[in-house]
Amino acid sequence: MKIKEVEIRTIELPLVRPFRTSFGTQLDRELLVMKITTHEGAQGWAECVAMSEPLYSPEYTAGCQDVMERFLLPAIFEFGDIRPEEVAGVLKPFLSHQMSKATIETAILDAQLKLDGISFGSYLGANKTEVDCGVSVGIAKSIDALVEEVSQYISEGYRRIKLKIEPGWDLEPVSVIRGLWPDIPLQVDANQAYSRNDIDLLKQLDPFNLLLIEQPLDEHDVLGHALLSAAVETPICLDESITSFEAARDALALKATTVINIKPGRVGGYLESVRIHDLCVEHDIAVWCGGMLETGIGRAANVALAALPGFTLPGDTSASSRYYKRDITNPFVMEDGRLRVPTGPGIGVDIDHDFLDEITSARKIITAS
Ligand code: NPQ
Ligand code: MG
């Protein structure tokens, strides 16, 4: 395929409720949406999962747009006729920036699969038609407010609850939720809020039968996670630390992680995600698909990925309504705690162009210079 033009939009969507994590409180989701048009007449869509500030990852929306315009897209234009499988190699000279690279690769893959009439799920190797949904629950104002939010999600049918934790909001919320729902699959996510000095505290989570503790320590402290993992019963699951296939391979070798959260944006795309998935299957490691408050564009591709055989735990692949009153695609609606994997060509969702225009705050067209 030959890329004719790339459109990058900045969009802003209000969240249905504030989402508080150990790194801050989000009221809106600002993100980049990319549309590529090819000379063959195909269009491909992708969203960039970076947030507006570098709080979860070093990447952030304005920085992503800059690196895409200045380096990544010129390299793609210069390469000429390109296949999705060639994108990562073309972008490899530019270090890191996985979320930006993932956006470009995904948009090209969507266009290619639309031309070929193949769905994301079939291309990636999905063997399920629907995926189990979990939900990520923010740090609440009070225990009562948390209980109310969790009961709402459980009554909607979510099959797994993930509580965001931080120092001062850990043992109590976990013990209350576990007490009220003794059998619900439950896990926690600290987004790096603890240190190696907190091993004794994190050990106190052991009696609550959690599926896992996600990213308790700094993203660079892989050894710390190995020490913690040896000291606690609850499985440790890395998120932020897993930025590539190699990072996953090494974290597994060091026994720093016993479960892996795959987020395609964080690892540079869906092809790298499949490689990590295959590695985990080979090592008999459970995997699940993380979430970055995606719109229907990113959610569609994530649901397709989560339908691969190694994704044995429910992901943060929630319904559109978990985050947004109105989505920019046909919404993902949960039925019996599951989302259906799209079957149409490419990501297989329809863009609501009017609504997309309404929430677009900036728009730029990039062509070969
Ligand atoms: C995680 N996601 O697993 C992330 C973190 C996260 C669903 O818990 C705006 C954009 C706000 C991306 C807040 C979930 C965000 C965000 C949290 C990602 O660690
Ligand atoms: Mg996480």
Side-chain angles (χ1 to χ4, degrees):
M1 275 186 327
K2 277 204 141 130
I3 315 295
K4 187 161 140 195
E5 174 183 295
V6 178
E7 178 196 78
I8 300 176
R9 294 172 184 247
T10 307
I11 68 168
E12 222 167 292
L13 267 174
L15 295 172
V16 291
R17 52 158 59 94
F19 188 41
R20 181 171 158 204
T21 62
S22 63
F23 59 79
T25 305
Q26 259 63 48
L27 305 173
D28 308 280
R29 179 67 167 114
E30 180 193 276
L31 71 148
L32 302 178
V33 170
M34 175 176 286
K35 177 179 83 175
I36 67 149
T37 308
T38 78
H39 283 284
E40 295 77 12
Q43 279 188 356
W45 291 83
E47 72 181 81
C48 179
V49 299
M51 302 171 55
S52 54
E53 299 162 285
L55 300 176
Y56 165 84
S57 65
E59 289 181 274
Y60 61 99
T61 46
C64 291
Q65 176 144 6
D66 188 74
V67 78
M68 288 191 229
E69 284 184 26
R70 205 183 287 269
F71 303 105
L72 307 183
L73 291 170
I76 297 288
F77 283 123
E78 157 118 50
F79 185 79
D81 202 354
I82 195 163
R83 301 249 346 142
E85 298 80 8
E86 294 173 312
V87 173
V90 172
L91 302 182
K92 196 170 163 49
F94 306 105
L95 304 178
S96 297
H97 295 99
Q98 287 87 341
M99 294 175 176
S100 308
K101 292 174 177 177
T103 310
I104 295 170
E105 184 189 81
T106 306
I108 292 176
L109 181 56
D110 183 40
Q112 182 72 56
L113 294 179
K114 279 175 172 144
L115 274 179
D116 298 345
I118 298 171
S119 72
F120 245 67
S122 333
Y123 174 81
L124 298 176
N127 72 340
K128 288 175 275 206
T129 56
E130 14 176 63
V131 300
D132 289 351
C133 299
V135 61
S136 179
V137 186
I139 295 164
K141 286 216 167 76
S142 65
I143 294 290
D144 285 351
L146 177 74
V147 168
E148 190 181 314
E149 192 177 340
V150 170
S151 36
Q152 184 202 317
Y153 294 137
I154 288 177
S155 64
E156 288 174 26
Y158 282 103
R159 289 170 177 266
R160 183 223 71 193
I161 301 292
K162 160 168 141 181
L163 302 180
K164 289 291 191 178
I165 59 166
E166 66 180 3
W169 182 266
D170 39 38
L171 300 176
E172 194 192 359
V174 168
S175 98
V176 169
I177 298 302
R178 176 48 88 215
L180 287 168
W181 290 280
D183 301 319
I184 188 87
L186 183 65
Q187 64 193 51
V188 294
D189 185 0
N191 290 110
Q192 316 182 51
Y194 295 87
S195 77
R196 292 186 191 187
N197 300 328
D198 296 315
I199 292 183
D200 287 344
L201 170 76
L202 294 168
K203 214 174 151 44
Q204 293 178 60
L205 288 170
D206 280 343
F208 300 111
N209 187 28
L210 300 179
L211 285 168
L212 55 92
I213 302 172
E214 185 178 342
Q215 197 71 44
L217 313 180
D218 187 89
E219 66 169 314
H220 299 108
D221 194 8
V222 177
L223 177 58
H225 284 100
L227 297 171
L228 174 66
S229 191
V232 302
E233 299 289 329
T234 314
I236 301 299
C237 172
L238 292 178
D239 172 359
E240 286 91 320
S241 301
I242 308 295
T243 51
S244 64
F245 171 86
E246 288 76 14
R249 180 199 60 198
D250 295 354
L252 287 174
L254 290 165
K255 299 196 188 301
T257 194
T258 40
V259 180
I260 286 188
N261 164 347
I262 299 182
K263 282 181 181 164
R266 194 190 61 227
V267 303
Y270 289 86
L271 303 185
E272 187 82 351
S273 299
V274 171
R275 293 179 68 214
I276 297 174
H277 161 272
D278 295 350
L279 173 82
C280 293
V281 169
E282 202 182 299
H283 286 76
D284 209 10
I285 294 292
V287 249
W288 56 282
C289 184
M292 289 292 287
L293 284 55
E294 285 87 351
T295 72
I297 294 175
R299 196 164 298 279
N302 283 352
V303 167
L305 179 71
L308 267 64
F311 286 80
T312 52
L313 291 171
D316 283 342
T317 44
S318 307
S320 299
S321 63
R322 157 67 184 88
Y323 296 109
Y324 307 113
K325 197 163 150 219
R326 182 174 171 186
D327 207 335
I328 57 172
T329 63
N330 45 310
F332 278 86
V333 179
M334 195 167 59
E335 281 168 55
D336 195 22
R338 298 192 176 98
L339 291 181
R340 218 187 303 273
V341 182
T343 53
I347 58 172
V349 282
D350 300 317
I351 311 285
D352 180 342
H353 295 279
D354 291 338
F355 187 49
L356 181 61
D357 285 346
E358 222 175 278
I359 59 169
T360 297
S361 57
R363 183 169 166 265
K364 185 147 183 192
I365 308 272
I366 300 133
T367 50
S369 53

